[in-house]
């Protein structure tokens, strides 16, 4: 389970894990052909499947999602919250603004556009319990909407993302779902069990993304009909899927930084502008009041709503709404979770959970309040009853009917349509990136462009097939059904992550508390030499020379002595001047100690001349110690060989203490 530390790998021209790629492709093709050729039979099957799931396993979805929320919050506030999703010395790959933008765009974009107006109005007109079209119905509508779009959804994403990021970036395993099961099944993740897990993740991702693409294209069709009288129908929607999928392939070609990141930022700018417009053009004071009240109601009723299945008031409402949302979020979890993991390297678990749960949810609550409560204000206080009728007739036109009653309706409708298109594109290329990672074995290096383009096209084809087979009902059924097996996998992921974190906690405690030999620089080096080392800032060549002359010979002596004791030990060196000793323990966790040249900017006390390229000339290096967990932030440059030997032995003693502690019953 260790990282490959210093070995360098070269990406092949084709990155495919044949069992996962081939089986996923075949199953997808079979499904698409079945839905396209046997349309009526497919529709009947979808309806029966959804009915069985709602009737028989709805309780399982509700209980699982509640558990996921408790799990991520507990981890964040526990002692594990300080552990980084990456090596100890890693730093985040993206700034907070870019990170939040990508979280939001990948997680919920199209859904907010589709349901921002429609859901509150539909709950107001047809609540699960109580009288419709009353003040209480309005309060209940917003409380339910917040519940469906709140922390539960992001807790589902956080479980998958946190597990993947931990095992990939901290433990050196592939960026695939199977890696999170390593503590439970060990090397068998590379066999049939691991292949099956990744195949379920691929299918869940494809259907989850296809569902969003289906919602998105239906709304784009409605927007184009509103703006340019483009006919509404399945044929038009299939054509739109083809056109926008073709656009999405351009973003796929540009990659994560060039395409997805820039589109995500554009999405956030457009969404923020639209949100600000509704706040200013709508009933501003009323919206600010309801924002506070809605948030308070959500928090105070969170526990009750989490476990409410309306068991004493039998209704199919929960299946059409809550279970659909939970299934949608779970089906999206491999996609969004892996994407979030991909962009979250270097953040601590506490920082990660706080950011993933609170920041997107805060924006989502503002969106639902400003759009939903403005629509309710129009119906309740302005007497615009036709808005409720329009939403009941066709949810896809809700947003555009809503804009008709605000200033600049043509411009805002155009911006909204453009925003749905850009969300469509980011969902498609993010989804294709994730599926490509899953089917190529979890490599984080860029794979051939054709592979990502292939999956982007497949997502569009599935969305088209589902629309042909049954429209929104088929989309909902595919989402709920594909989520069921992955819910079980997510429970196992929680178990695996907790097991790995427990082992890491034991290791950290053993490193802190073990009785070890004292470090020896002060014993083998005079104080004058230590003082000179403090004020001297060595160049790279000096550090590389030190590692070759002092550190590596010390490693060789340690390895030779260990071999005499029958222990497998090896010494190696890298092209950048680093050297390491690795002690292998068979089925136990190996020990790794490395000295590496690491560059630093000079401190201000030597930055007297900052003109030209002087700062670069003044850059200095340290011989830093790295263990399997990452950099340890201390320098052995200038130490005598005996001091290096003592430090290696000290760290090895800590490691042996850790192995002993882990082996205790």
């Amino acid at each position: 389970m260790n990282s490959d530390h210093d070995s360098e790998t070269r990406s092949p021209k084709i990155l495919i894990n044949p069992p996962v790629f081939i089986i996923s492709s075949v199953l997808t093709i079979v499904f698409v052909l079945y839905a396209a050729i046997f349309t009526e039979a497919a529709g009947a099957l979808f309806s029966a499947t959804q009915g069985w799931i709602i009737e028989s396993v709805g309780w399982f979805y509700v209980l699982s999602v509640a558990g996921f929320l408790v799990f991520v919050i507990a981890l964040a506030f526990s002692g594990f919250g300080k552990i980084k999703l990456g090596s100890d010395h890693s730093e985040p790959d993206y700034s907070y603004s870019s990170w939040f933008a990508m979280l939001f765009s990948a997680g919920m974009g199209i859904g907010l556009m589709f349901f921002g107006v429609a859901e509150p109005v539909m709950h107001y007109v047809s609540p699960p319990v109580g009288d419709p079209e009353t003040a209480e119905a309005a309060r209940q509508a917003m409380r339910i909407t917040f519940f469906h779009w709140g922390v539960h959804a992001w807790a589902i994403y956080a479980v998958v993302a946190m597990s993947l990021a931990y095992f990939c970036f901290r433990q050196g395993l592939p960026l695939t779902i199977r890696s999170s099961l390593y503590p439970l099944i060990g090397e068998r993740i590379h066999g049939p069990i691991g292949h099956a897990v990744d195949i379920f993740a691929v299918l869940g991702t494809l259907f989850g993304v296809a569902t969003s693409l289906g919602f998105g294209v239906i709304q784009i069709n409605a927007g184009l009909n509103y703006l340019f009288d483009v006919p509404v129908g399945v044929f038009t929607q299939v054509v739109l899927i083809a056109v926008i999928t073709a656009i999405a392939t351009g973003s796929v070609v540009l990659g994560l930084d060039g395409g997805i990141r820039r589109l995500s930022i554009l999405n956030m700018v457009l969404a923020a502008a639209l949100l600000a417009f509704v706040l200013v053009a709508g009933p501003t004071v009323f919206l600010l009041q309801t924002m506070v009240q809605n948030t308070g109601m959500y928090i105070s009723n969170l526990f009750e709503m989490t476990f409410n299945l309306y068991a004493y008031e039998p209704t199919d409402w929960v299946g059409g709404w809550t279970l659909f949302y939970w299934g949608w979020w779970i089906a999206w979890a491999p996609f969004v979770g892996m994407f979030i993991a991909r962009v979250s390297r270097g953040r601590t678990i506490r920082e990660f959970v706080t950011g993933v749960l609170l920041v997107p949810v805060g924006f989502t609550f503002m969106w639902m309040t400003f759009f939903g409560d403005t629509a309710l204000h129009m119906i309740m206080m302005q007497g615009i009853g036709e808005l409720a009728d329009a939403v009941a007739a066709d949810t896809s036109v809700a947003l555009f009917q809503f804009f008709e009653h605000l200033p600049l309706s043509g411009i805002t409708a155009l911006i909204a349509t453009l925003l749905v298109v850009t969300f469509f594109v980011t969902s498609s290329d993010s989804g294709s990136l994730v599926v490509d990672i899953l089917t190529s074995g979890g490599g984080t290096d860029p794979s051939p462009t054709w592979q990502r383009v292939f999956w982007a096209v497949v997502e569009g084809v599935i969305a088209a097939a589902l629309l042909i087979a049954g429209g929104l009902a088929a989309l909902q059924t595919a989402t709920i059904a594909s989520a069921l097996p992955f819910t079980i996998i997510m429970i196992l992921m929680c178990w695996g992550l907790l097991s790995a974190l427990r082992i890491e906690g034991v290791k950290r405690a053993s490193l802190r508390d073990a009785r070890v030999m004292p470090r020896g620089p002060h014993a083998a080096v005079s104080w004058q030499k230590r003082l000179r080392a403090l004020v001297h800032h060595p160049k790279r060549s000096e550090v590389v020379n030190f590692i070759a002359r002092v550190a590596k010979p010390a490693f060789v002596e340690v390895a030779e002595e260990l071999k005499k004791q029958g222990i497998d030990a090896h010494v190696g060196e890298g092209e950048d001047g680093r050297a390491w000793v690795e002690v292998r323990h068979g089925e136990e966790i190996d020990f790794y100690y490395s000295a590496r040249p690491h560059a630093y900017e000079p401190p201000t006390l030597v930055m007297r001349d900052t003109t030209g390229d002087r700062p670069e000339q003044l850059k200095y290096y340290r011989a830093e110690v790295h263990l399997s967990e990452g950099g340890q932030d201390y320098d052995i440059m200038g130490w005598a060989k005996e001091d290096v030997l003592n430090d290696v032995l000290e760290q090895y003693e800590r490691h042996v203490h850790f192995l002993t502690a882990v082996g205790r019953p």
Side-chain angles (χ1 to χ4, degrees), residues 239-252 424-425 428 453 456-457:
V239 172
L240 287 172
I241 287 176
V243 171
I244 300 175
T245 299
I247 296 173
T249 58
S251 180
V252 167
F424 190 121
V425 172
S428 179
V453 170
V457 172

Side-chain angles (χ1 to χ4, degrees), residues 110 114 210-224 233-234 236-242 244 396 420 424 463-464 467 475:
I110 290 177
F114 194 90
T211 300
S212 288
L213 300 187
F215 282 130
V217 79
I218 289 171
Q219 194 165 37
I220 293 170
N221 191 182
L224 294 177
V234 174
T236 303
Q237 291 159 9
V238 171
V239 172
L240 287 172
I241 287 176
I244 300 175
S396 65
V420 176
F424 190 121
L467 287 174
L475 291 171

